[in-house]
Amino acid sequence: MRARTVVALLASAALAAGCSGPEQQPSAPQTTAATGTSSAATPSSSGSGSPAPTTPAPSPMPTDHTFEVVEHEAFDEPWAMVALPGTDLLAITEKGGALKLRGPDGVREVSGTPEVTVTTQGGFGDIIAGPTFETDGTVYLSWVEGSGGSSGAVVAKARLDVDAAALTDITKIWEQTPKIDGGGHYSHRLAIHDDLLYLSSGDRQQFSPAQEFDSNLGKILRLTLDGQPAPGNPFQEDIPVSQQFWTIGHRNPLGIAFDADGRLWSSEMGPKGGDEVNLIKPGLNYGWPEASNGSNYDGSDIPDHAQGDGFEPPKVSWNPSVSPGSLMIYQGDAFPAWRGDAFIGALSGEALIRVDLDGESATLADTWPMGARIREVEQGPDGGIWLLQDGAGGKLLELRGA
Ligand SMILES: [Ca+2]
Ligand SMILES: [Ca+2]
């Protein structure tokens, strides 16, 4: 299928609040959020002290880029993708259970995929390449399993033969416990750093388990590549499952990613007006459901994050919500001024969002309306930025430097 140029967007200048684009539509809250709340709603890790430089530093390199958005193939409810190392391929999961390999020569379907349970928010989930992918094809996958209305996420390792387009040797290494009736907040995003597996496990819309030590719901976990609790994890309680925990107090963290210096960041779908970007540090409690800059959908309040409450505040938060569905930290060459920055696909916000990362600080920088729910953002094999629209017929999109 020939690519078709559909939209040209001008990246904003490096304004702190960033979105200079037109209002997309009355129901889309992202523009207001971007222009109105980025500074005020971004708690600083250094407390109330605000450095006030008197002389602007000279800018050694461009601080923005222009790009156009190119449409590629359509997929059936695409959920996740990853650039497979040593290839020119993207591996793309579809919620219903299919795995596709997409390259310059087109799209192939992979055989041998696991049987998944499709619920409101869950089905086939994430895919990432293992550290040994280039020699043995190891990948890690997540999906939802269930029976009789009760379900939970699982994680497996497997071998992906890209020449044969075949998945084999699927071995389940982790499961979300307990299984829950209902189809929301699995999270089940994966990342690997220093030969350890990090995994987000959502609260399954049960709220309180995020603060409890007898289930792995509402946590970010750190495991060995075989799914065992990693040595040195911060919660070594009597309850074995808590030995998996890296951080607690999470609602629905649909994005986790490491920066070049080894810091782990998450994007978390919060309640009404409480979406977050968090810097994930071992042993910390991120507050859900005791603290949130948003409120419950039934209108009841949740105390905002406040200094001294014992909970780690977000680095960036959104009100109104944008529904961050994915997180990628860019390391490519196509857009050098954005190297090291976080990119977030927004679902209800129908936008691509750039968050400027600088050490441990994060600042909302750009919110580009995309006219569609964005499910996934990833760095492509070419070092560019690629997106997946959400839903039936969701298209693969490429940002091409203009
Ligand atoms: Ca991905
Ligand atoms: Ca609140």
Side-chain angles (χ1 to χ4, degrees), residues 111 139 173 175 189 233 254 304 319:
S111 65
V139 293
I173 62 169
E175 64 178 335
R189 282 281 184 187
N233 276 356
L254 281 167
D304 285 1
N319 189 350

Side-chain angles (χ1 to χ4, degrees), residues 254-290:
L254 281 167
I256 54 172
F258 282 90
D259 68 22
D261 295 320
R263 296 180 200 91
L264 179 59
W265 297 82
S266 76
S267 63
E268 180 159 335
M269 199 178 290
K272 187 178 180 184
D275 295 338
E276 300 179 342
V277 166
N278 288 307
L279 176 58
I280 300 300
K281 292 184 173 180
L284 295 187
N285 184 340
Y286 289 76
W288 181 255
E290 303 297 326

Side-chain angles (χ1 to χ4, degrees), residues 27-30 33 269-275 294-295 297 318-324 346-350:
S27 63
Q30 73 274 12
M269 199 178 290
K272 187 178 180 184
D275 295 338
S295 55
Y297 278 99
W318 283 265
N319 189 350
S321 299
V322 296
S323 307
L347 290 164
S348 68
E350 300 193 342

Side-chain angles (χ1 to χ4, degrees), residues 65-129:
H65 293 286
T66 58
F67 60 83
E68 58 188 14
V69 179
V70 180
E71 281 188 359
H72 294 285
E73 296 86 351
F75 294 84
D76 184 16
E77 297 189 88
W79 205 90
M81 65 178 161
V82 65
L84 295 173
T87 77
D88 57 3
L89 300 172
L90 288 165
I92 297 172
T93 63
E94 294 178 340
K95 184 183 171 190
L99 176 62
K100 307 280 179 69
L101 297 177
R102 188 272 175 195
D105 297 330
V107 177
R108 291 176 291 152
E109 181 155 359
V110 174
S111 65
T113 48
E115 185 175 339
V116 309
T117 297
V118 178
T119 68
T120 315
Q121 294 181 5
F124 209 172
D126 210 359
I127 178 169
I128 60 171

Side-chain angles (χ1 to χ4, degrees), residues 216-261:
N216 56 24
L217 309 184
K219 314 293 186 326
I220 290 176
L221 310 173
R222 178 176 174 260
L223 307 174
T224 69
L225 293 178
D226 292 318
Q228 297 303 305
N233 276 356
F235 299 99
Q236 297 290 338
E237 310 266 333
D238 296 341
I239 306 166
V241 71
S242 68
Q243 295 169 12
Q244 302 175 2
F245 303 173
W246 191 237
T247 55
I248 67 174
H250 298 283
R251 183 177 182 271
N252 192 15
L254 281 167
I256 54 172
F258 282 90
D259 68 22
D261 295 320

